[in-house]
Tab-separated table of all heavy atoms in Angstrom:
chain	number	residue	atom	x	y	z
A	151	TRP	N	-5.618	4.845	-1.681
A	151	TRP	CA	-4.300	4.209	-1.764
A	151	TRP	C	-3.203	5.200	-2.159
A	151	TRP	O	-2.480	5.016	-3.128
A	151	TRP	CB	-4.348	3.075	-2.786
A	151	TRP	CG	-5.275	1.941	-2.499
A	151	TRP	CD1	-6.380	1.950	-1.708
A	151	TRP	CD2	-5.200	0.623	-3.047
A	151	TRP	NE1	-6.977	0.694	-1.721
A	151	TRP	CE2	-6.283	-0.121	-2.531
A	151	TRP	CE3	-4.315	-0.010	-3.928
A	151	TRP	CZ2	-6.496	-1.443	-2.875
A	151	TRP	CZ3	-4.552	-1.344	-4.295
A	151	TRP	CH2	-5.627	-2.056	-3.744
A	152	LEU	N	-3.092	6.270	-1.378
A	152	LEU	CA	-2.128	7.332	-1.714
A	152	LEU	C	-0.697	6.895	-1.463
A	152	LEU	O	-0.395	6.286	-0.472
A	152	LEU	CB	-2.355	8.559	-0.796
A	152	LEU	CG	-3.311	9.665	-1.204
A	152	LEU	CD1	-3.087	10.873	-0.303
A	152	LEU	CD2	-3.194	10.039	-2.639
A	153	TYR	N	0.182	7.279	-2.371
A	153	TYR	CA	1.624	7.110	-2.173
A	153	TYR	C	2.347	8.320	-2.760
A	153	TYR	O	1.735	9.115	-3.508
A	153	TYR	CB	2.125	5.810	-2.841
A	153	TYR	CG	1.990	5.826	-4.318
A	153	TYR	CD1	3.030	6.324	-5.144
A	153	TYR	CD2	0.845	5.429	-4.955
A	153	TYR	CE1	2.921	6.390	-6.489
A	153	TYR	CE2	0.705	5.501	-6.352
A	153	TYR	CZ	1.750	5.981	-7.094
A	153	TYR	OH	1.631	6.071	-8.461
A	159	ASN	N	4.971	4.992	2.924
A	159	ASN	CA	3.799	4.453	2.221
A	159	ASN	C	4.154	3.082	1.668
A	159	ASN	O	5.261	2.597	1.781
A	159	ASN	CB	3.372	5.427	1.104
A	159	ASN	CG	4.578	5.810	0.217
A	159	ASN	OD1	5.147	4.965	-0.406
A	159	ASN	ND2	4.895	7.092	0.214
A	160	PHE	N	3.142	2.464	1.013
A	160	PHE	CA	3.276	1.106	0.489
A	160	PHE	C	4.452	0.976	-0.488
A	160	PHE	O	5.196	-0.031	-0.494
A	160	PHE	CB	1.951	0.725	-0.173
A	160	PHE	CG	1.871	-0.699	-0.626
A	160	PHE	CD1	1.647	-1.739	0.312
A	160	PHE	CD2	1.994	-1.049	-1.963
A	160	PHE	CE1	1.552	-3.045	-0.106
A	160	PHE	CE2	1.908	-2.383	-2.363
A	160	PHE	CZ	1.691	-3.374	-1.449
A	161	VAL	N	4.619	1.977	-1.342
A	161	VAL	CA	5.685	1.891	-2.379
A	161	VAL	C	7.026	1.781	-1.707
A	161	VAL	O	7.838	0.880	-2.006
A	161	VAL	CB	5.635	3.116	-3.308
A	161	VAL	CG1	6.800	3.109	-4.276
A	161	VAL	CG2	4.324	3.155	-4.094
A	164	MET	N	7.430	-1.581	0.158
A	164	MET	CA	7.707	-2.727	-0.738
A	164	MET	C	9.155	-2.691	-1.247
A	164	MET	O	9.823	-3.705	-1.330
A	164	MET	CB	6.737	-2.700	-1.932
A	164	MET	CG	5.345	-3.137	-1.624
A	164	MET	SD	5.267	-4.811	-0.980
A	164	MET	CE	4.771	-4.552	0.685
A	176	VAL	N	1.695	-10.829	-0.551
A	176	VAL	CA	0.888	-9.615	-0.600
A	176	VAL	C	-0.538	-9.934	-0.996
A	176	VAL	O	-0.797	-10.770	-1.885
A	176	VAL	CB	1.520	-8.566	-1.570
A	176	VAL	CG1	0.698	-7.282	-1.561
A	176	VAL	CG2	2.977	-8.242	-1.174
A	177	ILE	N	-1.480	-9.257	-0.303
A	177	ILE	CA	-2.909	-9.534	-0.464
A	177	ILE	C	-3.423	-9.300	-1.897
A	177	ILE	O	-3.125	-8.237	-2.481
A	177	ILE	CB	-3.687	-8.624	0.520
A	177	ILE	CG1	-3.460	-9.149	1.952
A	177	ILE	CG2	-5.167	-8.580	0.184
A	177	ILE	CD1	-3.859	-8.185	3.027
A	183	THR	N	-7.517	1.393	-6.418
A	183	THR	CA	-6.623	2.071	-7.359
A	183	THR	C	-5.546	2.836	-6.601
A	183	THR	O	-5.874	3.770	-5.821
A	183	THR	CB	-7.374	3.044	-8.285
A	183	THR	OG1	-8.543	2.361	-8.804
A	183	THR	CG2	-6.505	3.480	-9.436
A	184	PRO	N	-4.278	2.510	-6.858
A	184	PRO	CA	-3.186	3.321	-6.270
A	184	PRO	C	-3.267	4.726	-6.840
A	184	PRO	O	-3.571	4.908	-8.010
A	184	PRO	CB	-1.924	2.613	-6.750
A	184	PRO	CG	-2.358	1.226	-7.213
A	184	PRO	CD	-3.783	1.377	-7.646
A	185	THR	N	-2.946	5.715	-5.986
A	185	THR	CA	-3.017	7.085	-6.436
A	185	THR	C	-1.743	7.845	-6.036
A	185	THR	O	-1.427	7.894	-4.845
A	185	THR	CB	-4.238	7.814	-5.796
A	185	THR	OG1	-5.419	7.062	-6.147
A	185	THR	CG2	-4.439	9.236	-6.286
A	219	ALA	N	-6.274	-2.289	-9.483
A	219	ALA	CA	-5.234	-3.239	-9.106
A	219	ALA	C	-5.547	-3.836	-7.731
A	219	ALA	O	-6.260	-3.230	-6.947
A	219	ALA	CB	-3.878	-2.509	-9.042
A	220	SER	N	-4.966	-4.992	-7.475
A	220	SER	CA	-4.971	-5.496	-6.091
A	220	SER	C	-3.641	-5.036	-5.459
A	220	SER	O	-2.746	-4.605	-6.171
A	220	SER	CB	-5.035	-7.031	-6.083
A	220	SER	OG	-3.853	-7.569	-6.615
A	221	TRP	N	-3.495	-5.172	-4.163
A	221	TRP	CA	-2.216	-4.814	-3.527
A	221	TRP	C	-1.113	-5.679	-4.112
A	221	TRP	O	0.050	-5.245	-4.246
A	221	TRP	CB	-2.315	-4.988	-1.989
A	221	TRP	CG	-3.167	-3.989	-1.329
A	221	TRP	CD1	-4.452	-4.195	-0.813
A	221	TRP	CD2	-2.905	-2.587	-1.109
A	221	TRP	NE1	-4.948	-3.019	-0.276
A	221	TRP	CE2	-4.002	-2.024	-0.459
A	221	TRP	CE3	-1.806	-1.779	-1.398
A	221	TRP	CZ2	-4.077	-0.696	-0.072
A	221	TRP	CZ3	-1.861	-0.418	-1.034
A	221	TRP	CH2	-2.999	0.110	-0.417
A	222	PHE	N	-1.439	-6.954	-4.461
A	222	PHE	CA	-0.477	-7.866	-5.081
A	222	PHE	C	0.001	-7.308	-6.425
A	222	PHE	O	1.227	-7.234	-6.685
A	222	PHE	CB	-1.157	-9.224	-5.257
A	222	PHE	CG	-0.437	-10.162	-6.188
A	222	PHE	CD1	0.730	-10.779	-5.829
A	222	PHE	CD2	-0.981	-10.443	-7.464
A	222	PHE	CE1	1.380	-11.656	-6.690
A	222	PHE	CE2	-0.335	-11.275	-8.327
A	222	PHE	CZ	0.848	-11.896	-7.962
A	223	ASP	N	-0.947	-6.863	-7.270
A	223	ASP	CA	-0.566	-6.292	-8.590
A	223	ASP	C	0.321	-5.037	-8.368
A	223	ASP	O	1.300	-4.837	-9.112
A	223	ASP	CB	-1.809	-5.868	-9.347
A	223	ASP	CG	-2.709	-7.021	-9.704
A	223	ASP	OD1	-2.206	-8.015	-10.235
A	223	ASP	OD2	-3.924	-6.947	-9.403
A	224	PHE	N	-0.075	-4.242	-7.391
A	224	PHE	CA	0.648	-2.994	-7.066
A	224	PHE	C	2.089	-3.338	-6.678
A	224	PHE	O	3.065	-2.781	-7.191
A	224	PHE	CB	-0.095	-2.287	-5.933
A	224	PHE	CG	0.301	-0.856	-5.631
A	224	PHE	CD1	1.101	-0.105	-6.502
A	224	PHE	CD2	-0.080	-0.268	-4.439
A	224	PHE	CE1	1.458	1.195	-6.198
A	224	PHE	CE2	0.272	1.036	-4.133
A	224	PHE	CZ	1.054	1.765	-5.003
A	225	ALA	N	2.222	-4.331	-5.775
A	225	ALA	CA	3.551	-4.746	-5.308
A	225	ALA	C	4.419	-5.286	-6.474
A	225	ALA	O	5.587	-4.994	-6.559
A	225	ALA	CB	3.406	-5.789	-4.197
A	226	LYS	N	3.794	-6.096	-7.344
A	226	LYS	CA	4.521	-6.630	-8.496
A	226	LYS	C	5.073	-5.506	-9.363
A	226	LYS	O	6.206	-5.558	-9.835
A	226	LYS	CB	3.598	-7.534	-9.353
A	226	LYS	CG	3.176	-8.842	-8.730
A	226	LYS	CD	4.206	-9.942	-8.895
A	226	LYS	CE	4.276	-10.503	-10.274
A	226	LYS	NZ	5.265	-11.609	-10.333
A	227	ALA	N	4.219	-4.509	-9.609
A	227	ALA	CA	4.614	-3.381	-10.441
A	227	ALA	C	5.770	-2.589	-9.781
A	227	ALA	O	6.699	-2.140	-10.445
A	227	ALA	CB	3.434	-2.499	-10.731
A	228	ILE	N	5.701	-2.449	-8.464
A	228	ILE	CA	6.748	-1.720	-7.725
A	228	ILE	C	8.082	-2.413	-7.874
A	228	ILE	O	9.122	-1.795	-8.179
A	228	ILE	CB	6.349	-1.522	-6.236
A	228	ILE	CG1	5.117	-0.658	-6.091
A	228	ILE	CG2	7.519	-0.972	-5.417
A	228	ILE	CD1	4.427	-0.767	-4.741
A	229	MET	N	8.050	-3.747	-7.702
A	229	MET	CA	9.310	-4.526	-7.810
A	229	MET	C	9.865	-4.397	-9.220
A	229	MET	O	11.062	-4.236	-9.427
A	229	MET	CB	9.081	-6.015	-7.463
A	229	MET	CG	8.537	-6.266	-6.068
A	229	MET	SD	9.582	-5.570	-4.763
A	229	MET	CE	8.597	-6.000	-3.342
A	230	GLU	N	8.959	-4.560	-10.200
A	230	GLU	CA	9.381	-4.531	-11.615
A	230	GLU	C	10.008	-3.144	-11.944
A	230	GLU	O	11.128	-3.067	-12.467
A	230	GLU	CB	8.117	-4.795	-12.440
A	230	GLU	CG	8.238	-4.694	-13.933
A	230	GLU	CD	6.795	-4.588	-14.522
A	230	GLU	OE1	5.940	-5.382	-14.122
A	230	GLU	OE2	6.584	-3.684	-15.368
A	238	VAL	N	7.038	-11.998	-5.458
A	238	VAL	CA	5.812	-11.579	-4.771
A	238	VAL	C	4.745	-12.658	-4.933
A	238	VAL	O	4.406	-13.017	-6.058
A	238	VAL	CB	5.293	-10.205	-5.260
A	238	VAL	CG1	4.061	-9.773	-4.454
A	238	VAL	CG2	6.375	-9.148	-5.191
A	274	TRP	N	-2.620	4.407	-13.381
A	274	TRP	CA	-1.836	4.221	-12.137
A	274	TRP	C	-0.414	3.766	-12.408
A	274	TRP	O	0.508	4.185	-11.741
A	274	TRP	CB	-2.556	3.315	-11.141
A	274	TRP	CG	-2.623	1.876	-11.465
A	274	TRP	CD1	-3.641	1.206	-12.110
A	274	TRP	CD2	-1.664	0.865	-11.151
A	274	TRP	NE1	-3.353	-0.138	-12.207
A	274	TRP	CE2	-2.156	-0.396	-11.603
A	274	TRP	CE3	-0.447	0.833	-10.464
A	274	TRP	CZ2	-1.437	-1.600	-11.457
A	274	TRP	CZ3	0.263	-0.380	-10.325
A	274	TRP	CH2	-0.253	-1.564	-10.825
A	275	ARG	N	-0.207	2.887	-13.444
A	275	ARG	CA	1.151	2.399	-13.685
A	275	ARG	C	2.081	3.506	-14.196
A	275	ARG	O	3.269	3.561	-13.873
A	275	ARG	CB	1.118	1.222	-14.700
A	275	ARG	CG	0.647	-0.109	-14.099
A	275	ARG	CD	0.711	-1.205	-15.119
A	275	ARG	NE	2.094	-1.414	-15.561
A	275	ARG	CZ	2.891	-2.395	-15.100
A	275	ARG	NH1	2.437	-3.244	-14.187
A	275	ARG	NH2	4.116	-2.530	-15.540
A	278	LEU	N	3.000	5.564	-11.178
A	278	LEU	CA	3.922	4.823	-10.334
A	278	LEU	C	5.349	4.930	-10.912
A	278	LEU	O	6.311	5.108	-10.198
A	278	LEU	CB	3.479	3.360	-10.212
A	278	LEU	CG	4.416	2.437	-9.424
A	278	LEU	CD1	4.591	2.918	-8.001
A	278	LEU	CD2	3.900	1.008	-9.464
Side-chain angles (χ1 to χ4, degrees):
W151 299 21
L152 270 194
Y153 66 89
N159 52 60
F160 187 77
V161 174
M164 285 301 112
V176 181
I177 288 165
T183 312
T185 304
S220 68
W221 290 106
F222 164 75
D223 297 310
F224 191 16
K226 290 278 286 182
I228 294 164
M229 301 304 178
E230 173 196 314
V238 182
W274 72 266
R275 283 184 62 98
L278 177 60

